[in-house]
Amino acid sequence: MQTINHLRSLGLFFIFAYLITWFIWAPYYMPSLFPVSWHVDPFFHYAGLAGPLLAALLSTAIQNGKAGVRLLVHRIATLGSSLWAILAALGIPFVIVLLSQIISAIVDHEPISFRGLGTSREMPGLSWFTFAAINIFVVGVGEEAGWRGFALPRLQGSMTAMKASILLTVFWAIWHWPLFFYPLSGYYHMDIFGIAGWLFSLLLGSILFAWLFNSSGGSVLTCAIFHGMMDIMFISAFPNTHLASYNGMLITILGFLVINRFGAQNLSSKERVTAIE
């Protein structure tokens, strides 16, 4: 019975997440139906990122009522029980970019520079504070409340954390497809090799999010901080042109270290978090 409830909940969630986000992102893949300026308007990009959060709240309310919504909101609003998970969420993205800068300085003779940190090529007029707040509380919470706060615990109820992360990556990747029509996104100019690399990085990211989610006792906020910090560090307008490939390499290494250290069962030293229904 619990498995059936999980499948019903997940079905509702994925349908809602896709419908809400894809409706908001419609100006990107159906530009002829909207004013020309909407095709390159970043507002729709960031508004669409609330889709997984809204889908999680709707699906939880339908399936689990007020008690389920309270549990989800608790996961979104609290940092969890692990101090090191919080520190990892804050520090790992900075360490990765620092190491990438050092590698690039050695290999490519690029100077180490953090000029451009906290600036966005998509919205260059933003202050550092606004850029950080958008990435943590709009991008991070908007996505992680759905993918990790709602979907991951239900998937982990019937499979290992590793299998859950792989399966969730598939649904997560499909959700992104309208951004491949958005000219200001990094997806727009990807070739087949770029897409393959992106899918692999998404999988490694899913594993790392599961690691932090389970290690923190189910804290969406910890995952949102990590997601936001990764975006801040990885999409900031740094002058160094080689960082992306080194960032990807280091994320890959970290992902394999997590799998090797904690194992596929829980991807954590703690038991994986499952939904209570």
Side-chain angles (χ1 to χ4, degrees):
M1 184 65 179
Q2 187 182 55
T3 300
I4 295 173
N5 285 340
H6 285 179
L7 290 174
R8 186 183 297 116
S9 297
L10 286 165
L12 282 174
F13 166 72
F14 289 124
I15 289 170
F16 283 145
Y18 291 168
L19 287 178
I20 294 169
T21 296
W22 293 355
F23 175 77
I24 296 170
W25 284 347
Y28 297 153
Y29 59 89
M30 294 192 296
S32 62
L33 301 181
F34 301 91
V36 174
S37 61
W38 289 19
H39 189 214
V40 292
D41 193 328
F43 168 80
F44 298 104
H45 177 197
Y46 287 99
L49 298 176
L53 167 62
L54 296 176
L57 291 171
L58 281 170
S59 302
T60 302
I62 292 170
Q63 191 70 20
N64 306 111
K66 292 181 180 179
V69 172
R70 281 196 296 269
L71 176 58
L72 177 60
V73 171
H74 175 74
R75 285 178 173 165
I76 293 171
T78 58
L79 285 170
S81 56
S82 175
L83 177 60
W84 76 258
I86 299 166
L87 295 176
L90 286 167
I92 284 175
F94 177 80
V95 171
I96 287 174
V97 169
L98 177 60
L99 291 175
S100 293
Q101 294 254 18
I102 293 172
I103 294 170
S104 185
I106 296 170
V107 176
D108 308 306
H109 308 291
E110 290 265 14
I112 295 175
S113 172
F114 281 88
R115 180 170 55 85
L117 175 61
T119 59
S120 168
R121 291 185 175 89
E122 186 178 4
M123 293 188 290
L126 293 180
S127 67
W128 191 95
F129 177 82
T130 304
F131 180 62
I134 286 175
N135 278 286
I136 292 173
F137 296 107
V138 177
V139 181
V141 173
E143 288 201 48
E144 295 309 316
W147 308 127
R148 255 54 65 172
F150 185 92
L152 183 62
R154 286 162 175 79
L155 290 171
Q156 289 185 152
S158 57
M159 61 186 72
T160 68
M162 184 68 178
K163 288 181 180 178
S165 298
I166 294 171
L167 183 57
L168 186 54
T169 301
V170 175
F171 290 99
W172 193 17
I174 293 170
W175 174 80
H176 283 84
W177 78 266
L179 292 179
F180 285 87
F181 299 89
Y182 172 39
L184 297 184
S185 74
Y187 307 93
Y188 187 78
H189 300 286
M190 283 185 186
D191 57 18
I192 188 66
F193 299 105
I195 293 172
W198 169 71
L199 289 171
F200 186 69
S201 69
L202 209 65
L203 172 60
L204 269 298
S206 188
I207 290 168
L208 293 177
F209 283 124
W211 165 55
L212 287 173
F213 184 76
N214 291 329
S215 297
S216 64
S219 168
V220 171
L221 186 55
T222 299
C223 292
I225 290 171
F226 183 63
H227 195 143
M229 290 299 295
M230 292 281 278
D231 279 2
I232 291 167
M233 299 306 298
F234 287 7
I235 68 174
S236 286
F238 291 121
N240 191 318
T241 57
H242 297 88
L243 293 186
S245 57
Y246 298 129
N247 290 339
M249 177 187 71
L250 292 171
I251 285 290
T252 300
I253 293 171
L254 178 59
F256 281 111
L257 286 174
V258 166
I259 296 169
N260 183 65
R261 171 64 179 83
F262 298 107
Q265 187 72 18
N266 298 310
L267 291 174
S268 169
S269 58
K270 298 182 178 181
E271 285 293 316
R272 65 188 183 278
V273 177
T274 58
I276 301 173
E277 297 186 333

